[in-house]
Amino acid sequence: MGIVKISNYNFTFCLFKEQHVPPIYHTIHNTRTGQNYVSPKSNSSKAWLSRITEIRCIPEYLNPVPHTLDNRLKILKLNRIKGFYIDLTGFSSVTDYMNSKMGSKQRSRLKSRMKRLESCFDISYQVYFGEIEKNTYEELFHNMQELIKRRFDQINREFNQAGKLKALKKRGFDLILDKKASFHVIYDGARPIDICLNFHFQDILNGAIRSYDIDYAKFGLGHIDITKHVEWCLEHNYGILDFMWGDQSYKYDWCNNVAFLGHHIYYNPKSLVHRLIVPLRVLTYRFKDYKEVKKVEKQKRAALSRTAHKSKPTERPEIQEIDLQNKTDATLSEPYKEVNIHTATYFWLKPLVFNFQYQHRDHSTDITVRELTNLSNTYLVLGKNKGIIVLRSSIEA
C-alpha cells in the first residue's frame, strides 16, 4: 500500500510571514477588493493526486483558487479555529470606528489612559515601513524579544518561541524595506515600550507579534497601540487589521468580525487509502479540538478563582502616602541618595513609580526617587505635590 505523503501548510503563515502561497494554489482572490494575486511559484504537478494536502488558517476574506488539475481532487472543509479581525470598510476615522464598537464608558477610559500616558512620559509613535536603519532594526527586535520574555516570566510560563523569532529576525529587515512588514513602536523618550511586528499583503495588515513593557500596564499600552494601528490603517487605505487566532479578551473588545478560519483537506477520492486516512484525521481533529475547548474552559474557571497562571513571587512593599506640602514629615529630612529606576538594582521600583505617576499625572521629569541611607529598605517617590514612602518587604508568593 505504501506510505502516503501528507503535506501541511499554514496559509496565514505562508502568505504573511513567509511571503509565498501554498503551491497547490495558483491565485489568491481578495473577496473585498476584487484583487487577484497570481502565485509565481505555484505547482500544477500531478503529484498532488498521490498525496493528501492540508491547508489551515485561511481567513474568510481571502479565497485561494487551486489549479485546474486539482478538479480531480476532492476538498473537505472543516471549521476548527476562530479568527479575529477588524474590517474598516466604511469608516473614516479611529473615532468613527470606536463609536461603532465600544460604549461611551469604554471609549472614555481608553482616551483617559492615553492622555495620562502622554502627560506622564515623553511619548512618541513611530512606524517603520519601507525604511529602517539596520542597527535600529536589530535593537527593536532584541527589545521585542525581551519584552515578550518578561511577560512570560510574569505569568510563570515558558517562553519557547525563541527559535522561531530567531529565524524570523533574519528575514524581517528586508521585508520592512520591501514594505511587506512594519514595526509599530511606542517610545518613552528613546526607550521602546511597545513594539509590534506586522506583515502586509494588499490592503491587509496582519498583526503578527505584539509586545509591551509590563511596567506600564496601568496605562493600557495594548489598547493604545491598537488605536494607533487603526489610525494608521485608515490613513493608508488598509481595509483589514487581522489579529489571527487566540481567545484573548482584547480581540472581542476591538474586532467586528469573528469567524472560523478555513481548514481544507485535499485528497484523491479514487484512492482507497486517502478515503480511509482522511476520516481518521478528521476524527483526530475533533477530539483534539474538544480537549482544547475543555482546557480553555478550565483555565478560565481557574483564572476566576485566581489560580491560573500564577505569577512568580513579586515585591509586595508597604506604601504610605505623604503630602509634600506638609514640610514636617520627618522622612523628607532623612539623608538619602537619588536612584535610577532604570538600572538593574532598582528595576523593581519601576511599576510603583509608574503607578504613582498614573494616579497623580506627574511627568517623569517631576519625579525624584530616593533611597534613605539611614533607614533600611526605605525609599521615597516624590512628585510635584504628593509622594509615597516605599517600605521594601521580603518577596511574597
Side-chain angles (χ1 to χ4, degrees):
M1 186 166 63
I3 298 174
V4 175
K5 184 174 181 180
I6 300 177
S7 300
N8 283 280
Y9 299 90
N10 183 309
F11 182 89
T12 294
F13 287 167
C14 286
L15 184 64
F16 292 106
K17 286 188 178 182
E18 299 167 14
Q19 300 291 313
H20 71 85
V21 175
I24 198 169
Y25 300 125
H26 68 80
T27 302
I28 304 298
H29 177 66
N30 188 326
T31 57
R32 297 172 51 264
T33 65
Q35 291 174 279
N36 285 322
Y37 171 77
V38 179
S39 173
K41 296 183 179 180
S42 56
N43 182 358
S44 60
S45 168
K46 292 183 179 180
W48 296 112
L49 293 170
S50 63
R51 70 182 69 175
I52 295 171
T53 305
E54 294 195 35
I55 317 289
R56 296 172 286 121
C57 301
I58 306 171
E60 65 173 1
Y61 52 79
L62 293 176
N63 179 30
V65 183
H67 288 281
T68 53
L69 166 71
D70 303 314
N71 289 333
R72 285 178 282 173
L73 297 177
K74 190 170 183 178
I75 178 173
L76 179 65
K77 298 182 179 181
L78 305 177
N79 288 331
R80 297 188 59 209
I81 303 173
K82 287 181 180 178
F84 299 78
Y85 69 94
I86 296 174
D87 186 343
L88 292 169
T89 304
F91 295 101
S92 59
S93 68
V94 64
T95 300
D96 188 20
Y97 181 76
M98 289 171 63
N99 287 341
S100 75
K101 189 68 180 68
M102 302 177 183
S104 59
K105 186 175 180 179
Q106 189 177 8
R107 295 197 307 271
S108 176
R109 185 174 183 226
L110 177 55
K111 290 177 183 177
S112 174
R113 281 181 159 188
M114 183 180 292
K115 286 181 180 178
R116 290 191 187 217
L117 179 71
E118 294 175 349
S119 66
C120 291
F121 307 99
D122 293 325
I123 296 299
S124 61
Y125 306 94
Q126 179 71 45
V127 178
Y128 297 92
F129 181 55
E131 57 181 307
I132 188 172
E133 296 294 329
K134 186 61 182 273
N135 63 329
T136 301
Y137 172 80
E138 296 282 345
E139 290 173 3
L140 284 174
F141 209 102
H142 172 74
N143 288 333
M144 182 177 70
Q145 289 177 290
E146 290 300 307
L147 292 178
I148 294 172
K149 187 177 184 304
R150 281 194 67 205
R151 174 57 178 156
F152 272 72
D153 288 344
Q154 183 192 45
I155 61 177
N156 202 19
R157 290 175 60 187
E158 184 180 356
F159 177 55
N160 54 13
Q161 299 298 312
K164 292 181 180 180
L165 287 178
K166 184 178 180 180
L168 179 59
K169 183 180 180 180
K170 295 179 181 179
R171 302 173 52 252
F173 178 70
D174 289 333
L175 292 177
I176 291 177
L177 296 183
D178 292 340
K179 292 190 172 183
K180 294 178 180 178
S182 61
F183 265 137
H184 287 230
V185 186
I186 301 177
Y187 285 97
D188 172 10
R191 186 179 300 105
I193 61 174
D194 186 288
I195 306 171
C196 298
L197 179 61
N198 307 306
F199 297 101
H200 299 245
F201 176 77
Q202 294 179 352
D203 71 332
I204 302 158
L205 187 71
N206 174 263
I209 302 175
R210 307 182 71 228
S211 67
Y212 67 93
D213 190 330
I214 57 177
D215 294 328
Y216 295 76
K218 194 79 172 178
F219 296 88
L221 285 179
H223 290 284
I224 293 171
D225 83 46
I226 294 176
T227 302
K228 290 298 178 179
H229 274 77
V230 172
E231 187 178 86
W232 189 90
C233 284
L234 288 169
E235 289 175 355
H236 294 81
N237 298 315
Y238 276 67
I240 294 288
L241 175 54
D242 194 336
F243 292 107
M244 301 188 292
W245 50 89
D247 201 71
Q248 286 104 349
S249 60
Y250 77 86
K251 297 182 182 181
Y252 290 98
D253 291 337
W254 281 96
C255 295
N256 58 2
N257 283 274
V258 181
F260 282 105
L261 296 166
H263 185 138
H264 298 170
I265 303 177
Y266 291 89
Y267 66 99
N268 185 350
K270 295 183 179 180
S271 167
L272 176 62
V273 178
H274 286 203
R275 295 203 310 271
L276 291 173
I277 290 177
V278 170
L280 289 175
R281 292 184 71 81
V282 172
L283 285 174
T284 301
Y285 289 136
R286 298 299 186 205
F287 180 68
K288 288 174 63 176
D289 294 343
Y290 173 79
K291 288 183 64 177
E292 183 64 25
V293 168
K294 292 301 180 183
K295 177 183 175 182
V296 171
E297 290 175 352
K298 183 178 179 181
Q299 288 175 343
K300 287 181 177 179
R301 289 195 300 270
L304 290 174
S305 62
R306 301 181 183 276
T307 60
H309 301 320
K310 189 175 182 180
S311 298
K312 287 185 176 180
T314 56
E315 298 283 356
R316 300 294 179 88
E318 180 184 343
I319 297 176
Q320 302 171 4
E321 291 195 7
I322 55 176
D323 187 348
L324 299 188
Q325 306 305 312
N326 179 10
K327 303 298 183 181
T328 62
D329 194 306
T331 53
L332 295 174
S333 58
E334 288 285 342
Y336 67 88
K337 65 176 181 179
E338 291 193 11
V339 302
N340 181 356
I341 61 173
H342 298 293
T343 58
T345 303
Y346 302 101
F347 208 64
W348 64 274
L349 271 167
K350 278 180 65 179
L352 299 177
V353 174
F354 292 167
N355 289 350
F356 173 83
Q357 290 180 247
Y358 181 89
Q359 182 179 357
H360 298 287
R361 304 193 184 199
D362 284 347
H363 192 274
S364 295
T365 53
D366 297 317
I367 298 294
T368 302
V369 182
R370 301 175 180 178
E371 180 179 6
L372 303 188
T373 54
N374 286 351
L375 296 175
S376 177
N377 294 323
T378 305
Y379 304 81
L380 293 180
V381 179
L382 307 177
K384 288 189 293 185
N385 300 306
K386 300 289 183 179
I388 55 174
I389 303 171
V390 179
L391 302 174
R392 191 179 191 186
S393 59
S394 60
I395 292 179
E396 299 177 6

